[in-house]
Amino acid sequence: MENLIKGSSELNKMFAAMQRTGAGLRRDFGEVENLQQSLPGARDFVKKAAQRIEEAILQDLTLVRPMAGILTPNYSKQGDGRDEFVLALSGAENFVRGNPLFAISLALRSNDETKIALIYSPIDDRLYYAEAGTGAFAYQAFHSSRINVSNLSQPHDLTIGLGNCNTSSEFPAIGCRCTGCPALDLAWVAAGKFDGFVSEPLDYAEICAGELMVLEAGGEVSMDTELVATNKKWQR
């Protein structure tokens, strides 16, 4: 298979699996927009769509590393104890409401270290990706470009993403955004669109890819009582 993006053949196979699933998600998104008068119906539809995502991508990934384990918010499988795929649909509640801010987050971990990370926004067909030790990149319209965290540090210049909008009062001098899609929030920190991201602890499947991406883009991530990703210039 000819490589679509800069990186290993495994990275490209993982991206190909995401692209195939993304095409179906775009169709699903058109359908869910017609269900806005019935939120229970929309939630049920999106839940089934998320299950189809897992099934479709994981079927493809078994061809990449057949003995790898699986971790998703809803499902886990023990593998060979060395490799593990970590998958999540981030921003599912946005999807339910016909909001395009959602993404597929996919990572490959080997020996307890994340080696490959991809965050794919299917509606605008934009991919953020990283491999350990090689940097972080954005890909759209058949073009890859390297991304880096911002170098801003003055509070009046900063924009940070929040996992909970109610915490915005903690940052009175800083611009705050609450997107509802933590995977994209982390990708945007890596790309310099946000200067930081603060959230209550999240399911690791949703943030695994974003963690590597921020690190490879020159930022830092801490996960203690809360998740904090920054450009190293701004400190929580």
Side-chain angles (χ1 to χ4, degrees):
M1 182 186 74
E2 182 180 355
N3 283 359
L4 298 172
I5 53 179
K6 297 176 182 178
S8 66
S9 61
E10 286 184 321
L11 170 69
N12 275 269
K13 289 175 182 176
M14 291 167 70
F15 178 41
M18 295 177 86
Q19 277 193 313
R20 284 190 287 272
T21 303
L25 266 182
R26 286 189 288 274
R27 291 192 297 270
D28 290 339
F29 185 71
E31 290 295 325
V32 83
E33 286 185 303
N34 298 324
L35 295 172
Q36 290 308 297
Q37 300 306 312
S38 172
L39 281 182
R43 286 196 174 96
D44 184 61
F45 182 87
V46 171
K47 181 179 179 181
K48 291 177 180 177
Q51 291 172 343
R52 289 199 303 273
I53 290 171
E54 290 184 2
E55 291 170 1
I57 291 182
L58 295 178
Q59 186 175 21
D60 284 345
L61 294 181
T62 58
L63 302 177
V64 179
R65 292 202 182 181
M67 301 303 295
I70 302 294
L71 175 66
T72 81
N74 306 306
Y75 171 76
S76 64
K77 184 188 79 170
Q78 288 294 111
D80 56 12
R82 186 191 71 173
D83 300 324
E84 181 180 54
F85 288 109
V86 184
L87 171 68
L89 175 63
S90 184
E93 191 62 23
N94 288 342
F95 192 174
V96 167
R97 295 306 305 268
N99 181 326
L101 284 177
F102 61 91
I104 306 169
S105 175
L106 175 62
L108 172 62
R109 289 174 57 81
S110 294
N111 297 319
D112 295 323
E113 293 184 1
T114 305
K115 300 297 186 181
I116 297 175
L118 305 97
I119 296 174
Y120 180 54
S121 173
I123 300 304
D124 63 2
D125 196 26
R126 182 185 296 270
L127 172 75
Y128 298 94
Y129 67 96
E131 285 192 272
T134 67
F137 299 84
Y139 173 84
Q140 190 175 41
F142 305 102
H143 175 71
S144 287
S145 56
R146 188 154 190 158
I147 57 175
N148 295 283
V149 296
S150 72
N151 61 4
L152 301 176
S153 60
Q154 296 302 312
H156 63 272
D157 292 329
L158 300 177
T159 300
I160 63 170
L162 298 178
N164 185 341
C165 300
N166 294 330
T167 60
S168 60
S169 60
E170 298 179 28
F171 310 96
I174 296 175
C176 298
R177 304 289 183 271
C178 191
T179 72
C181 183
L184 280 179
D185 290 328
L186 290 168
W188 289 352
V189 173
K193 299 175 185 292
F194 282 170
D195 305 295
F197 174 64
V198 178
S199 173
E200 68 280 357
L202 297 165
D203 191 306
Y204 187 63
E206 192 167 11
I207 61 174
C208 179
E211 179 189 17
L212 177 64
M213 211 161 292
V214 171
L215 296 176
E216 286 293 322
E220 62 184 10
V221 180
S222 63
M223 288 182 279
D224 296 314
T225 57
E226 60 183 0
L227 166 67
V228 180
T230 81
N231 61 359
K232 290 187 178 180
K233 305 291 186 181
W234 172 70
Q235 299 298 323
R236 169 76 162 104

